[in-house]
Amino acid sequence: TVVTFDTMGGSPVTSRSVAYGKTVAPPEPPVRDGYRFDGWYESNDGGTTLSDAPFDFGTAVTRTMTLYAKWIPLHAIRLQADPAEGGTVAGAGTYPAGETVTVTAVTAEGWQFLRWTEHGQEVSTEEAYTFPAEADRTLTAELNAKQQHTGTRLDSHNTAPTIAGGAPFRDGQPNAVPAVPEKGYRFVRWSENGRTVSESQTFRFTA
């Protein structure tokens, strides 16, 4: 009896002669670009439809037969951060079709995550984006530098001496700047472009 191995587009595997009632040893797995080998299967229609379960190489061979290779497509997931200095991305690689993929973006200090895009179209606003591997994909993590406001030196009303307030202020963070008049002066108000914004001696605001 002879066992033939049809690799279905993979690297060739030599047929094997087997004594009646004996078992056949499994050959070295074939290879095929862009696919993962998933076992040998029997088929009643020349490999178009494979059996539900892979062939059991512990089964006694009692007839000449052909075994067919099963292949699972592999999909390449490519990632990039834009701009590169804004952070790092993880999860790139090659995944079998249908496997769950999770890609993540980790921002550098002073940067914030905006979204994942593909061909310029938004696909997720989550830093950890999960999806099934169904095709080759190139994903971009779009990042944005957090705006930083620098406090300027602040003057008390009219001719009073300057009052320090030069720390850096980041977007969305509460800040407080106290006015401490020098001797001979009194605090009147905080103003911006001639408009009163606070009459409290400590000016509180969000950058």
Side-chain angles (χ1 to χ4, degrees):
T1 55
V2 176
V3 178
T4 300
F5 299 94
D6 187 333
T7 63
M8 306 291 285
S11 57
V13 173
T14 303
S15 299
R16 296 188 178 185
S17 296
V18 184
Y20 181 89
K22 298 298 184 180
T23 60
V24 61
E28 287 294 318
V31 294
R32 182 182 177 187
D33 287 343
Y35 292 83
R36 186 183 74 181
F37 176 68
D38 198 44
W40 295 104
Y41 289 74
E42 293 185 80
S43 174
N44 293 323
D45 56 10
T48 301
T49 304
L50 301 179
S51 56
D52 292 335
F55 178 73
D56 180 1
F57 282 91
T59 301
V61 177
T62 59
R63 59 184 171 83
T64 293
M65 63 191 306
T66 299
L67 297 178
Y68 299 87
K70 180 179 179 180
W71 300 99
I72 295 178
L74 297 176
H75 298 302
I77 306 300
R78 302 177 181 87
L79 305 176
Q80 59 188 6
D82 182 25
E85 64 268 24
T88 58
V89 289
T94 303
Y95 295 85
E99 186 168 313
T100 298
V101 181
T102 298
V103 297
T104 56
V106 179
T107 55
E109 184 177 357
W111 291 78
Q112 60 187 353
F113 173 79
L114 295 179
R115 57 185 165 266
W116 286 102
T117 61
E118 183 175 22
H119 306 307
Q121 300 297 313
E122 180 181 293
V123 294
S124 177
T125 56
E126 300 293 329
E127 293 182 25
Y129 172 37
T130 300
F131 57 92
E134 297 176 334
D136 292 352
R137 302 184 70 178
T138 299
L139 302 173
T140 300
E142 294 190 1
L143 311 171
N144 187 47
K146 292 181 179 179
Q147 292 185 357
Q148 180 170 304
H149 304 283
T150 301
T152 58
R153 295 189 67 83
L154 305 173
D155 294 331
S156 57
H157 189 56
N158 294 333
T159 59
T162 59
I163 302 170
F169 306 128
R170 290 197 180 279
D171 275 349
Q173 294 184 353
N175 299 276
V177 180
V180 184
E182 293 188 4
K183 186 176 180 180
Y185 291 88
R186 65 181 180 85
F187 173 82
V188 176
R189 61 181 173 271
W190 290 99
S191 64
E192 183 177 14
N193 298 326
R195 182 178 61 88
T196 298
V197 293
S198 176
E199 293 183 353
S200 173
Q201 193 161 330
T202 298
F203 180 38
R204 301 181 186 280
F205 62 97
T206 299

